[in-house]
Amino acid sequence: MKKMILATAALALSAGLASAQDVVRLGTEGAYPPWNFLNDAGEVDGFERELGDELCRRADLTCEWVTNDWDSIIPNLVSGNYDAIIAGMSITDERDEVIDFSQNYTPPDPSAYAAVSDGIDVEAAVIAAQTGTIQAGYVAETGGTLVEFASPDETIAAVKSGEADAVLADKSFLAPIVEEDPDLIFVGPDVPLGGGVGMGFRESDQALRDTFDAAIQSMKDDGSLNELIAKWDVSSQF
């Protein structure tokens, strides 16, 4: 109860600090289901759309959604194209040197390898990963042969075409694809990476970060964040 009262008080205070900002622009990729994607109407959808809308409601903010390619999503936040990133972005020390993060809104999600055949030595194989992701960094650091692609769909296509032996990505992203595609299977062990997923902010926007931080905490406190995580099956729960 005490934790919930403190979160509510912080939410009210930080919302007041952010009230001068008429519209908060939320930047996402729109190409990483079930986290974020474009539906048949061309609108942002998925776990983070529902989460972001609820956070904005709790913080009494008017928000709009902006889509941006993953490889420029941090530079375009810094340059002011939008006010926050909510795009399945894992919290890492390297990214934290450039932007500020909220607390995590999902726990760390294991990464996994998918391929068209088993028996692959993932440490010696050619591995596809999306550019600028923790998975790409992991492959590079562990001595694997890395091929990078701008979008997650391209990493899957590279495996199916034979350009790569396997893809390394969030397991929550790969699971429905592997389940639906009879040509793909999981190979090798799961890989725990990152410190969970959080929102990204310009380092100068501390009040806005605090606003969303308090809203995230309020969803953790009342259990609604775990319900949303379970609904979209994006990670383990808190």
Side-chain angles (χ1 to χ4, degrees):
M1 178 62 74
K2 181 179 179 182
K3 193 174 183 181
M4 185 175 292
I5 291 172
L6 290 174
T8 302
L11 185 58
L13 175 60
S14 56
L17 292 172
S19 61
Q21 190 162 351
D22 292 335
V23 177
V24 175
R25 298 161 298 169
L26 302 179
T28 195
E29 184 183 14
Y32 205 64
W35 295 81
N36 59 80
F37 57 92
L38 299 182
N39 60 25
D40 291 341
E43 300 172 339
V44 174
D45 205 338
F47 166 70
E48 285 167 320
R49 173 60 191 265
E50 194 167 347
L51 172 64
D53 286 350
E54 176 61 16
L55 294 175
C56 291
R57 186 192 68 79
R58 290 181 183 230
D60 197 25
L61 294 171
T62 300
C63 297
E64 65 180 27
W65 289 86
V66 179
T67 56
N68 193 96
D69 290 342
W70 176 261
D71 58 1
S72 61
I73 202 165
I74 288 180
N76 284 342
L77 168 70
V78 174
S79 64
N81 290 19
Y82 31 83
D83 305 302
I85 294 171
I86 178 167
M89 181 171 284
S90 294
I91 300 169
T92 67
D93 291 339
E94 182 180 9
R95 289 169 179 158
D96 199 34
E97 292 178 359
V98 182
I99 61 175
D100 280 346
F101 281 101
S102 68
Q103 63 176 292
N104 61 355
Y105 54 78
T106 68
D109 181 38
S111 296
Y113 295 95
V116 295
S117 62
D118 58 8
I120 291 174
D121 180 359
V122 293
E123 294 183 358
V126 177
I127 306 297
Q130 189 177 9
T131 302
T133 60
I134 56 175
Q135 290 84 10
Y138 175 80
V139 175
E141 290 171 6
T142 54
T145 301
L146 171 67
V147 286
E148 296 182 86
F149 297 90
S151 73
D153 288 344
E154 289 174 290
T155 65
I156 302 296
V159 173
K160 298 196 69 173
S161 69
E163 186 176 354
D165 298 314
V167 54
L168 180 63
D170 290 330
K171 194 167 188 177
S172 59
F173 166 71
L174 290 175
I177 296 174
V178 171
E179 184 177 351
E180 294 175 8
D181 192 326
D183 294 329
L184 292 172
I185 58 172
F186 285 117
V187 296
D190 288 352
V191 183
L193 296 174
V197 172
M199 296 181 69
F201 300 89
R202 288 182 288 273
E203 292 184 332
S204 59
D205 284 346
Q206 182 176 349
L208 186 62
R209 183 199 65 191
D210 290 347
T211 296
F212 279 100
D213 226 18
I216 293 168
Q217 186 62 54
S218 73
M219 291 188 69
K220 287 181 177 179
D221 291 342
D222 66 17
S224 57
L225 185 51
N226 275 340
E227 292 176 2
L228 199 58
I229 289 171
K231 173 183 175 179
W232 288 96
D233 195 21
V234 291
S235 75
S236 59
Q237 299 180 24
F238 289 101

